[in-house]
Amino acid sequence: MSEIDSAGVALRQRNTAESVARSAGITSIAVLASRVTGLAREMALARLFGAGAANDAFLLAFRIPNLTRDLFAEGALSSAFVPTFVEYLQKKSRADAAYLANLVATAIIVIVGAVCLLGMAFAEELVSILAPGFRQVPGKFEMAVGMTRIMCPFLLLVALAAQVMGILNACNRFALPALSSSMFNVGSLGFGLLMGHVAGSRIGITAIEGMAWGVVFGGALQLFVQVPSLIREGFLFKPAFDFKHPGLIHIAKLMGPAILGSAAVQINVMVNSNFASQIVDPVTGLNGPVTWVNNAFRFMQLPLGLFGVAIGGATLPAISRAAANGDMDDFRRTLSRSLGLVFLLTIPSSAGLIVIGDSIIGALFEGGAFRDYDTQQTAAALAWFAVGLVGYAALKILVPAFYALKDSRTPMYISLASIATNYYIVANMTSTYAFGHAGLALSTAAVAISGAVVQFLILRGRVGGIYGRALFSSVMKITFASAIMSFGVWGAAWLAGEWQPAGHGRYLATLGLAIPTGIGLYYYACRALKIDEMDLAMAAIAKPWERLRARIR
């Protein structure tokens, strides 16, 4: 290969990496809005209902359609549909791709719609499996069953929304699909408060049931806000029933192992919910653990969504195109750069959540029915969830990489193996070692990290390396920079505690001093250590703002 050719390849790879980072940056801004509005919804629930029976029942009922959403929509469907759709766009006509999208949408309406009806019919059995401990608290089980039936249609709406998001991402439109989640949060909170607190007494529903109806309204808003962009891209839904179509069959074949793999994850969630519903806290009894674990997991979702999901969503179309074109060097380089970006952003996030997690939770949630004790218990779970954040985020990159290579079996086998690992750790942590609800978070972290390591090693062997030496060097530097940051954050938190020893004042003082200190220390440590991924991250942050300033001018 000539020097000119080599330079051209290097430039193309650099451009791909920058394109992924830029798309991830745009998505991250939208995801930030989604996570902030999501936290507002969680804050409202916490302050209105605390960590009591009503909130436990609502969160369990909401988890049931969420389990199947991950199974059919945002997990298996997206990972199988996007690479196939991209291949049709690359190698066939846009009309062929549009027809495939219509086939998939029709199949979703038929299959997921049937699942929704079954969920409503067997709501009692589902709640019994997931939370047998609810029967021991009067009225708690019945509340969970009723709200499960209300929220089941949310699954169909969000499945269709996930497909629309996949189509728009394949067309290199990332911002609006990511913002659609904000529409869900705003719609579910606003409509839920309207239904439960304003109109509830007039139409005969409780305040918490109003929040359940809000979820369904929010799901509809998340879907329909994306439809105008879909139409502008030339895609308009028309029912199609050619179930022997090779593209649809290919997606179904990819989804089969993916569903089994996702089912393993959902079984782990079910096991954890089962244990959580039976944990007897020395202060609150059977009420509380479900809410504490859920709130902690929601906080971990903030950096996971901002970085893992955003970078994963931007990476999948890029590596799918590379795989479709047979350019494996571009595939490896893009994958390595994406993993480096994930580590750059999630390792310090994990450290920060561990060091000042109690202040974050206290500042946002504590008040009303949510007490200081709830803050401390949620922070204990958050610390263990944060340990697994890096693993979770890496999986958002690694699993789609297997799908881009048309291999959905390997992630499935690894995910199925995690069932035994999760059950063993949960049983020991909650029973033998009396970790309580924090043991559930520890188990989740262990499963995520082990799964990411195994998938990385297999994928590295499959594609002939992922520039592992450069990636390992970056991880070591990032870890060192994060350690420097952690000491600074801890010191700032200590100073804030001396200044404001208790209450919301301490939480706010800690965040106001520790977060800027941590960001500054980490940035300059990364610059001093010459971490390459920092350049990509800064470019990803700068580009959207440059475009915004240009439009304003």
Side-chain angles (χ1 to χ4, degrees):
M1 181 181 292
S2 68
E3 291 184 8
I4 294 176
D5 290 338
S6 297
V9 170
L11 178 61
R12 187 167 62 252
Q13 291 175 344
R14 178 72 182 182
N15 288 341
T16 301
E18 289 180 352
S19 175
V20 169
R22 185 166 57 251
S23 298
I26 294 168
T27 306
S28 290
I29 294 171
V31 171
L32 176 61
S34 171
R35 293 302 187 256
V36 169
T37 53
L39 282 176
R41 187 170 64 89
E42 298 293 331
M43 286 170 60
L45 285 168
R47 298 202 174 195
L48 288 170
F49 305 105
N55 206 6
D56 277 0
F58 172 85
L59 293 172
L60 189 280
F62 184 47
R63 185 172 296 164
I64 290 173
N66 264 344
L67 292 178
T68 42
R69 178 188 72 175
D70 293 338
L71 204 61
F72 292 107
E74 295 180 354
L77 174 62
S78 295
S79 296
F81 172 71
V82 172
T84 308
F85 186 74
V86 167
E87 185 175 358
Y88 267 63
L89 284 175
Q90 292 281 106
K91 297 184 176 181
K92 297 179 183 292
S93 69
R94 202 171 183 85
D96 290 329
Y99 184 64
L100 176 65
N102 286 331
L103 284 172
V104 172
T106 303
I108 289 173
I109 293 170
V110 173
I111 297 171
V112 180
V115 171
C116 290
L117 293 175
L118 288 172
M120 296 169 73
F122 295 98
E124 286 193 25
E125 289 77 6
L126 288 171
V127 175
S128 294
I129 293 170
L130 286 172
F134 279 15
R135 289 185 180 275
Q136 299 178 44
V137 180
K140 191 173 183 179
F141 178 83
E142 290 74 17
M143 274 195 295
V145 170
M147 286 187 285
T148 297
R149 292 192 171 115
I150 292 172
M151 288 189 277
C152 270
F154 167 71
L155 169 59
L156 176 58
L157 295 167
V158 81
L160 291 169
Q163 190 208 0
V164 174
M165 179 183 291
I167 294 171
L168 294 176
N169 285 350
C171 297
N172 289 321
R173 295 177 67 98
F174 295 95
L176 182 64
L179 275 173
S180 66
S181 295
S182 298
M183 297 299 102
F184 164 73
N185 291 322
V186 172
S188 62
L189 177 59
F191 191 78
L193 292 174
L194 179 66
M195 287 287 289
H197 290 269
V198 178
S201 59
R202 300 173 187 173
I203 59 178
I205 64 171
T206 64
I208 196 68
E209 287 173 338
M211 300 305 294
W213 282 110
V215 166
V216 179
F217 179 83
L221 193 59
Q222 181 177 359
L223 168 62
F224 291 114
V225 76
Q226 299 181 81
V227 171
S229 293
L230 190 69
I231 295 172
R232 281 194 293 272
E233 288 294 331
F235 298 102
L236 184 63
F237 172 68
K238 296 177 182 178
F241 294 93
D242 183 8
F243 293 140
K244 294 182 179 180
H245 188 275
L248 186 63
I249 292 172
H250 177 67
I251 291 171
K253 287 180 178 178
L254 283 177
M255 281 188 67
I259 287 175
L260 289 176
S262 296
V265 175
Q266 307 319 321
I267 289 171
N268 290 338
V269 173
M270 290 171 63
V271 168
N272 291 357
S273 296
N274 188 296
F275 275 92
S277 74
Q278 300 179 75
I279 292 172
V280 180
D281 184 80
V283 175
T284 63
L286 284 164
N287 293 326
V290 172
T291 299
W292 298 332
V293 171
N294 178 81
N295 287 346
F297 191 72
R298 289 287 298 176
F299 267 102
M300 190 192 73
Q301 291 289 318
L302 178 60
L304 178 61
L306 280 174
F307 309 134
V309 174
I311 297 171
T315 301
L316 179 56
I319 59 176
S320 295
R321 282 190 287 270
N325 294 330
D327 190 350
M328 295 311 298
D329 192 51
D330 188 31
F331 181 97
R332 290 191 294 269
R333 177 71 67 180
T334 303
L335 190 62
S336 179
R337 292 277 190 177
S338 297
L339 286 170
L341 272 174
V342 161
F343 295 143
L344 175 79
L345 299 167
T346 55
I347 292 175
S349 297
S350 297
L353 289 175
I354 292 169
V355 177
I356 58 170
D358 60 335
S359 295
I360 299 173
I361 293 165
L364 294 176
F365 278 1
E366 193 171 310
F370 201 88
R371 303 162 300 164
D372 176 71
Y373 184 76
D374 299 318
T375 295
Q376 300 309 315
Q377 298 307 307
T378 304
L382 177 60
W384 287 112
F385 275 133
V387 172
L389 174 60
V390 176
Y392 258 113
L395 286 171
K396 297 296 182 182
I397 308 294
L398 295 168
V399 172
F402 281 99
Y403 288 108
L405 296 173
K406 296 182 172 56
D407 175 13
S408 54
R409 293 182 179 273
T410 299
M412 176 193 73
Y413 293 138
I414 296 170
S415 190
L416 290 172
S418 74
I419 296 175
T421 303
N422 180 71
Y423 186 87
Y424 176 80
I425 297 174
V426 167
N428 279 278
M429 290 297 103
T430 57
S431 302
T432 306
Y433 299 106
F435 258 54
H437 68 288
L440 305 178
L442 171 58
S443 173
T444 300
V447 168
I449 292 172
S450 60
V453 169
V454 172
Q455 289 199 31
F456 176 83
L457 294 175
I458 293 174
L459 190 61
R460 184 184 66 174
R462 184 78 51 83
V463 300
I466 313 177
Y467 296 92
R469 290 182 181 178
L471 190 59
F472 180 76
S473 174
S474 292
V475 169
M476 291 296 100
K477 291 178 182 179
I478 290 166
T479 302
F480 184 65
S482 298
I484 294 172
M485 181 207 76
S486 297
F487 281 113
V489 169
W490 179 83
W494 180 80
L495 287 174
E498 291 293 305
W499 177 41
Q500 292 282 342
H504 262 84
R506 180 176 72 84
Y507 297 143
L508 294 174
T510 297
L511 298 181
L513 186 59
I515 291 177
T517 299
I519 292 173
L521 283 173
Y522 184 66
Y523 175 79
Y524 286 109
C526 287
R527 287 302 191 194
L529 293 169
K530 298 180 179 179
I531 297 174
D532 293 337
E533 285 78 8
M534 181 59 75
D535 293 329
L536 287 174
M538 296 309 297
I541 293 170
K543 285 291 184 181
W545 297 117
E546 289 176 4
R547 291 179 180 176
L548 180 61
R549 284 200 301 268
R551 288 179 181 176
I552 293 173
R553 289 174 185 171

